[in-house]
Amino acid sequence: MLKLSTLPKPNRRLFSSALYLTGDKAREQFAVLVPYLDFKHKLGDFERLKHNIRLRKYALDCDNLQRQWELYRDIEKRKKEIEQCRVELQKRIQQSTCKEEQKKLKSRAILARDDLKILKERSYKVADAFIANNFLSIPNDLHERTPEERWKCIYEKPSPVRSISPAQAQPAETQFEEFGTACLYMTGDSAWMDLRLPMRCSEMFRANNFILFSNPDFVRTFLVEAAMVNKESLFLVREENEPDDKVNLLHLCGGGSLLSFLGYFTKLSVFPSALPLRLVASGKRYHYESIQSNEMHVFGACKTSQEAEAMFDATVQIYKQFYDQLPLGYRIVQVAAPDLRPIESMRVDIELYDVQTQCYVKVAELGYFTDFLSKRIAFIYHEGKIQHFPHIVSGTVMSSVPLIKLLNANGITLNDIQILETIVHE
């Protein structure tokens, strides 16, 4: 039986990560996934890494990371040397015809075995401190389009001329009944908008060759860590007879989120001919500190960065098709480096203009993750014998609650939104 925890769960875990488990922990916990650890790319140029961290204003101690990396390499090198020594001793034992020499060689082999065992036990703590707590915290590389300090407006649609009387503007309280972040009721036009806006949005993306996808509402801890999402921001679901030291817990995320896609693509190997993938899903989005909302989320995967950037630009154009049909002004903003999430290489936000407050409100976003996320969830394709990781584009097309509240506040009713007058049923 599953029980939703409405209070933050105390940290009972004895382990630092569910995404990466060292050998000693894997004896007690099932390692669902082994992420691809791209040491060469991430740690091959520390100056480039420091520049990335500095632009993002990201909390990562690069000097400490470098020291841990050197210690980790030294231990791994020593382990290989002992392994090689054991192999050579075994060969000499087999080749020797002198019993006295064989006895000495066997004694040395036993010592080497014991040394290796002790070194492995000590290396687990080093690997856990370095990989689980530092290396897997390294953010994605920044895309060349990402502004360094301040956001950049790349498109703007002016607000249509409308005169709104106080009677027309409806505060959210009149059609929204909220009982905490997990419970919300809508009435009147808001309820109809909540039903029809996702349907219309879905139709638009399907008309542009996106496949409608159905996602689960739940996600495991290792995928939350793979996406570098704060676990405390999600509802925790308690499972029946759950051990106190269980590391891979269950969280409620909603089927309209990036997290809900990841379970399908984890450890998935696709044929190159299956790419590019264009998927769109409709579902709830649950967040511990925000009200639940119906959302449309897109997920795309391509073989190369060039193809992914082209998909990113094409998807932005579909976003524009949708928001051009709403009777509000909006702009598309290229997000600056300090405001990106760690897994994002670049992102654009769609912000609607609120005539009442005369400010912009974010209602949608689209991010490009390069092959960073694929490496963390082992999503691959092969060309010959060479393994590659798809480049991922994903984002929230619309979130109904903030969008509908904004429409209500600006006196826009269901009849004012022409795209909702006819819903095509297939």
Side-chain angles (χ1 to χ4, degrees):
M1 182 178 179
L2 303 180
K3 295 182 180 179
L4 181 66
S5 175
T6 56
L7 294 174
K9 182 178 180 179
N11 187 6
R12 303 176 302 166
R13 287 171 41 192
L14 304 177
F15 309 115
S16 58
S17 174
L19 179 60
Y20 178 80
L21 294 175
T22 51
D24 56 336
K25 296 172 183 176
R27 298 168 189 165
E28 302 173 23
Q29 303 283 337
F30 177 65
V32 181
L33 170 68
V34 179
Y36 178 75
L37 304 176
D38 194 355
F39 294 131
K40 183 178 180 180
H41 175 73
K42 288 296 180 184
L43 304 177
D45 186 347
F46 265 92
E47 290 305 315
R48 176 172 57 85
L49 175 60
K50 289 178 180 179
H51 182 66
N52 183 2
I53 298 300
R54 185 167 57 253
L55 290 179
R56 287 178 177 268
K57 299 180 181 179
Y58 187 70
L60 181 66
D61 188 341
C62 291
D63 294 331
N64 181 52
L65 175 68
Q66 189 169 9
R67 288 192 296 270
Q68 289 187 337
W69 167 230
E70 291 171 355
L71 176 60
Y72 176 81
R73 280 193 305 177
D74 289 343
I75 290 179
E76 291 300 308
K77 181 181 178 182
R78 179 60 181 153
K79 284 163 63 176
K80 289 180 180 179
E81 290 174 350
I82 297 177
E83 285 280 12
Q84 184 62 33
C85 178
R86 291 185 65 197
V87 171
E88 292 175 357
L89 287 171
Q90 190 64 33
K91 288 182 180 179
R92 290 178 61 184
I93 291 171
Q94 293 174 352
Q95 294 171 356
S96 176
T97 57
C98 177
K99 291 186 178 181
E100 188 65 28
E101 184 183 13
Q102 284 182 342
K103 186 177 180 180
K104 291 180 180 179
L105 291 173
K106 286 180 180 179
S107 297
R108 290 177 59 187
I110 292 172
L111 289 174
R113 181 197 64 193
D114 293 341
D115 287 346
L116 182 61
K117 182 179 179 181
I118 293 171
L119 187 60
K120 280 185 176 180
E121 292 296 330
R122 292 177 178 175
S123 70
Y124 293 142
K125 290 184 179 180
V126 174
D128 189 56
F130 167 60
I131 296 176
N133 293 317
N134 275 289
F135 180 78
L136 289 175
S137 299
I138 296 175
N140 200 349
D141 297 333
L142 291 173
H143 193 274
E144 59 184 12
R145 294 192 202 173
T146 299
E148 292 188 358
E149 296 180 359
R150 190 176 183 274
W151 56 267
K152 177 183 177 183
C153 181
I154 59 176
Y155 175 80
E156 184 172 5
K157 173 195 169 186
S159 299
V161 179
R162 287 173 54 90
S163 57
I164 305 172
S165 65
Q168 286 178 300
Q170 302 178 44
E173 292 78 10
T174 60
Q175 295 188 5
F176 283 74
E177 296 181 27
E178 299 180 18
F179 301 91
T181 57
C183 186
L184 166 71
Y185 295 96
M186 296 186 195
T187 60
D189 279 2
S190 295
W192 282 109
M193 290 181 190
D194 190 46
L195 174 67
R196 295 184 181 181
L197 280 170
M199 293 172 63
R200 186 67 186 91
C201 186
S202 172
E203 289 173 359
M204 187 171 292
F205 273 86
R206 281 185 289 166
N208 284 275
N209 299 318
F210 277 73
I211 299 171
L212 187 61
F213 218 64
S214 179
N215 289 331
D217 285 319
F218 302 96
V219 65
R220 288 288 179 184
T221 302
F222 78 97
L223 289 177
V224 178
E225 293 182 7
M228 302 181 82
V229 173
N230 180 11
K231 295 184 286 291
E232 301 301 322
S233 68
L234 299 173
F235 286 99
L236 181 67
V237 180
R238 298 180 184 274
E239 299 175 82
E240 190 174 5
N241 300 323
E242 182 181 273
D244 286 344
D245 62 349
K246 185 175 181 179
V247 62
N248 200 21
L249 305 175
L250 190 65
H251 306 268
L252 177 66
C253 63
S257 63
L258 171 63
L259 290 173
S260 63
F261 275 102
L262 298 187
Y264 182 81
F265 292 98
T266 296
K267 297 172 68 175
L268 179 67
S269 177
V270 298
F271 289 107
S273 58
L275 300 173
L277 288 172
R278 296 181 180 86
L279 309 175
V280 61
S282 175
K284 291 287 187 180
R285 189 267 298 135
Y286 298 98
H287 192 281
Y288 191 78
E289 296 179 349
S290 304
I291 195 69
Q292 61 165 294
S293 180
N294 279 327
E295 295 196 351
M296 294 296 304
H297 203 96
V298 292
F299 183 96
C302 299
K303 288 191 286 187
T304 66
S305 59
Q306 293 81 7
E307 291 178 3
E309 289 171 16
M311 176 184 284
F312 182 91
D313 294 336
T315 307
V316 170
Q317 293 303 314
I318 306 174
Y319 276 52
K320 288 172 64 177
Q321 290 178 31
F322 178 74
Y323 285 98
D324 279 343
Q325 298 181 66
L326 297 182
L328 282 176
Y330 73 95
R331 68 185 181 188
I332 301 177
V333 172
Q334 191 84 47
V335 178
D339 299 318
L340 289 179
R341 300 182 185 93
I343 62 169
E344 294 170 338
S345 180
M346 71 168 169
R347 189 180 84 233
V348 296
D349 289 347
I350 284 74
E351 300 176 345
L352 290 183
Y353 185 69
D354 186 350
V355 179
Q356 294 294 90
T357 61
Q358 296 187 351
C359 64
Y360 284 92
V361 179
K362 176 182 172 181
V363 294
E365 65 182 31
L366 183 67
Y368 172 43
F369 306 120
T370 66
D371 58 358
F372 180 84
L373 184 55
S374 295
K375 290 176 179 178
R376 294 173 73 91
I377 64 173
F379 174 31
I380 64 173
Y381 71 94
H382 286 89
E383 289 185 333
K385 295 183 179 180
I386 302 176
Q387 176 179 283
H388 299 278
F389 297 90
H391 287 244
I392 292 176
V393 173
S394 185
T396 301
V397 184
M398 59 149 285
S399 182
S400 64
V401 170
L403 177 56
I404 294 170
K405 285 184 176 181
L406 191 62
L407 294 172
N408 286 345
N410 286 271
I412 297 171
T413 65
L414 186 67
N415 294 331
D416 295 325
I417 307 175
Q418 295 182 358
I419 59 172
L420 301 185
E421 291 180 358
T422 56
I423 300 292
V424 178
H425 297 279
E426 295 183 356

